[in-house]
């Protein structure tokens, strides 16, 4: 079946309880089922020219242990998180990967471990790197300099063997956005008192960001099942990738104070009941979308179970017909990001316990901008 287009366009618990928002489970599905233009992505705020040449792959690194988060330093090198080891690697073309940090306290079980990375927009001045990871009691976010200890900036996100979310990214407004999962407890997603099943919006030091729907809460949007992709288009609109359960995965255009329907709705059909419909859906076999990035007017989505890269044209916040490339060529794809020079970086995820491991896995690919 082809892609289906759907019309549409540590914070304390007490703070979360202050939020007042509009708020059918089946068999659970994990990740297994589950032209020249400015660029704005989930990992870098820059405007290089050119578009990625998807016909010119370059292997930047191989032998990486479950690469998950990827964020670029000002010099163009990437920091890459190894989910299961808790290590952060520095990766650059023409150089072997180098371990530059070990995040303490990472508990890697199931889909948990060291997940998303983000580099401070003021990194040249403050040196901060941010990481989302699964600890012994929860999922949390820390920040650190590569030569110093971590500082917890947000904690208390429920953890589970799956549905941990984990993508973090600085938006064009300089705030830190966080995609969380419902921790396999679907009732948490519409609950304004829980940080789970949400997109959170934080200041760089982890407080509720100014302009949030409720000034005392980090919650930006709710009703999400498992968000693992965040990216902004050239107009500053936020898109998110979300795992469905048994039928449909989603790309959503995210707006503040909106409910995206989980668990009442999977895929489209919720608009008449006050929910926001996705702009794109796929069957779960075709996608299981994790990381996303936007270059010019194209959204790129890395598919795990689908083992392909989806390209989605964007026009004024609406989505055109998606097109699949690299079907089964590289296996499971986890993260996609646009570098400061406009190149598209893609990571595989075949060593995560659910893929067919190929020689050299896991690898990081680079598609240069032309």
């Amino acid at each position: 079946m082809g892609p289906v287009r759907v019309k549409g366009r540590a914070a304390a618990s007490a703070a979360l309880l202050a939020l007042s928002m509009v708020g059918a489970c089946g068999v659970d599905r994990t990740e297994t089922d589950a032209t020249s233009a400015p660029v704005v992505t989930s990992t870098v705020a820059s405007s290089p020219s050119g578009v990625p040449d998807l016909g010119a792959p370059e292997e930047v690194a191989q032998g990486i242990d479950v690469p998950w988060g990827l964020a670029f330093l000002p010099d163009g090198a990437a920091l890459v998180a190894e989910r299961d080891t808790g290590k952060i690697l520095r990766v650059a073309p023409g150089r072997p990967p180098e371990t530059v940090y070990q995040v303490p306290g990472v508990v890697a079980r199931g889909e948990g471990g060291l997940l998303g990375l983000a580099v401070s927009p003021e990194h040249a001045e403050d040196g901060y790197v941010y990481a989302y990871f699964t600890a012994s009691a929860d999922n949390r976010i820390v920040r650190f300099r590569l030569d110093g200890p971590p500082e917890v900036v947000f904690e208390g996100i429920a953890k589970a063997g799956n549905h941990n979310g984990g993508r973090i990214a600085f938006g064009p407004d300089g705030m830190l956005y966080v995609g969380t999962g419902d921790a396999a407890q679907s009732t948490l997603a519409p609950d304004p008192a829980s940080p789970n099943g949400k997109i959170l919006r934080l200041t760089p030091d982890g407080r509720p960001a100014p302009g949030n729907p409720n000034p005392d809460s980090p919650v930006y949007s709710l009703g999400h099942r498992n968000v693992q992709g965040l990216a902004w288009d050239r107009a500053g609109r936020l898109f998110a990738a979300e795992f469905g359960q048994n039928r449909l995965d989603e790309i959503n255009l995210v707006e503040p104070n909106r409910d995206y329907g989980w668990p009442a709705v999977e895929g489209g059909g919720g608009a008449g009941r006050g929910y926001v419909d996705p702009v794109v859906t796929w069957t779960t076999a075709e996608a299981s979308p994790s990381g996303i990035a936007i270059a010019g007017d194209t959204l790129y989505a890395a598919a795990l179970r689908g083992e392909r890269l989806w390209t989605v044209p964007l026009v004024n916040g609406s989505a055109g017909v998606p097109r699949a490339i690299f079907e089964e060529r590289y296996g499971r794809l986890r993260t996609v990001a646009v570098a400061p020079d406009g190149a598209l970086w893609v990571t595989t995820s075949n060593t995560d316990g659910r893929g067919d491991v190929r020689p050299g896995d896991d690898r990081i690919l680079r598609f240069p901008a032309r």
Side-chain angles (χ1 to χ4, degrees), residues 41-268:
T41 79
S42 59
T43 53
V44 63
S46 61
S47 297
S49 60
V51 294
D53 184 349
L54 300 180
E58 304 169 357
E59 188 172 282
V60 178
Q62 63 173 242
I64 310 299
D65 188 350
V66 195
W68 212 104
L70 188 155
F72 292 100
L73 294 166
D75 65 2
L79 296 178
V80 177
E82 289 192 329
R83 187 192 69 182
D84 292 354
T85 69
K87 294 178 181 179
I88 296 178
L89 312 178
R90 179 186 173 100
V91 176
R95 299 177 58 182
E98 172 191 7
T99 299
V100 293
Y101 200 82
Q102 176 79 50
V103 179
V106 173
V107 177
R109 297 194 184 106
E111 295 172 7
L114 179 57
L115 304 177
L117 295 180
V119 170
S120 167
E122 307 299 327
H123 185 272
E125 289 73 38
D126 63 30
Y128 279 129
V129 176
Y130 291 71
Y132 181 119
F133 72 93
T134 310
S136 60
D138 60 5
N139 289 301
R140 55 182 53 192
I141 301 168
V142 295
R143 69 178 178 183
F144 49 87
R145 299 179 178 92
L146 295 179
D147 60 355
E151 167 196 4
V152 177
V153 297
F154 195 90
E155 59 189 346
I157 304 167
K159 67 175 228 178
N162 52 28
H163 302 190
N164 290 295
R167 196 69 63 179
I168 57 176
F170 280 96
D173 57 2
M175 298 297 107
L176 183 65
Y177 291 74
V178 183
T180 71
D182 68 5
Q185 302 176 63
S186 61
T187 56
L188 297 180
D191 181 0
S194 170
N196 286 83
K198 308 293 189 299
I199 293 176
L200 311 177
R201 181 173 175 266
L202 309 173
T203 64
D205 59 2
R207 295 173 298 172
N212 278 4
N214 184 296
D216 297 317
S217 171
V219 175
Y220 188 70
S221 63
L222 75 170
H224 300 285
R225 184 171 181 270
N226 192 21
V227 176
Q228 288 191 9
L230 300 169
W232 288 262
D233 69 5
R234 66 175 78 210
R237 289 175 288 240
L238 172 60
F239 292 81
E242 184 166 339
F243 290 85
Q245 181 168 257
N246 298 316
R247 299 188 308 110
L248 297 172
D249 295 318
E250 304 175 1
I251 298 293
N252 286 295
L253 175 59
V254 178
E255 297 177 331
N257 204 27
R258 303 300 299 273
D259 189 327
Y260 287 79
W262 180 253
V265 182
E266 180 182 359

Side-chain angles (χ1 to χ4, degrees), residues 4-22:
V4 180
R5 260 194 78 204
V6 180
K7 274 181 161 178
R9 310 190 330 137
S13 297
L16 285 164
L17 286 166
L19 182 65
S20 175
M21 284 183 173
V22 177

